[in-house]
């Protein structure tokens, strides 16, 4: 999924918008796997996980972008 991070953006989309879209999609994929993970807890775990994901998806996308960007100061 993040293989396309440095790819060409779709028509009408800036490179930064494209990168953010890819990072958010990757964050959502991670969140989906986390929420769907097997557990012995009841249905409240899914509701709890979804709330946690909603609160942290932007931070996860930021972390993905930070990891993919080259530090040009080094």
């Amino acid at each position: 999924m993040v293989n396309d991070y440095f790819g060409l953006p779709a028509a009408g989309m800036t490179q930064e918008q494209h990168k953010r879209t890819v990072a958010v999609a990757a964050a959502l994929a991670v969140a989906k796997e986390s929420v769907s993970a097997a557990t012995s807890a009841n249905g409240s775990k899914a509701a709890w996980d979804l709330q946690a994901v909603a609160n942290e998806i932007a931070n996860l996308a930021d972390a993905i972008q930070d990891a993919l960007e080259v530090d040009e100061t080094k």
Side-chain angles (χ1 to χ4, degrees), residues 35-36 39 41-52:
V35 171
S36 66
T39 182
N42 61 18
S44 65
K45 178 195 179 295
W48 177 263
D49 284 350
L50 287 172
Q51 183 62 45

Side-chain angles (χ1 to χ4, degrees), residues 22-47:
V22 171
V24 169
L28 289 172
V30 169
K32 178 182 173 186
E33 292 301 316
S34 174
V35 171
S36 66
T39 182
S40 60
N42 61 18
S44 65
K45 178 195 179 295

Side-chain angles (χ1 to χ4, degrees), residues 66-67 69-74:
D66 289 346
E69 290 296 326
V70 175
D71 186 354
E72 295 178 9
T73 62
K74 292 183 179 180

Side-chain angles (χ1 to χ4, degrees), residues 2-73:
V2 294
N3 293 338
D4 191 38
Y5 186 77
F6 293 105
L8 295 174
M13 183 181 278
T14 68
Q15 187 68 30
E16 289 306 312
Q17 290 170 327
H18 170 75
K19 287 180 175 182
R20 186 64 178 178
T21 300
V22 171
V24 169
L28 289 172
V30 169
K32 178 182 173 186
E33 292 301 316
S34 174
V35 171
S36 66
T39 182
S40 60
N42 61 18
S44 65
K45 178 195 179 295
W48 177 263
D49 284 350
L50 287 172
Q51 183 62 45
V53 165
N55 290 335
E56 295 298 327
I57 201 72
N59 291 334
L60 182 54
D62 290 344
I64 290 169
Q65 279 192 278
D66 289 346
L68 292 172
E69 290 296 326
V70 175
D71 186 354
E72 295 178 9
T73 62

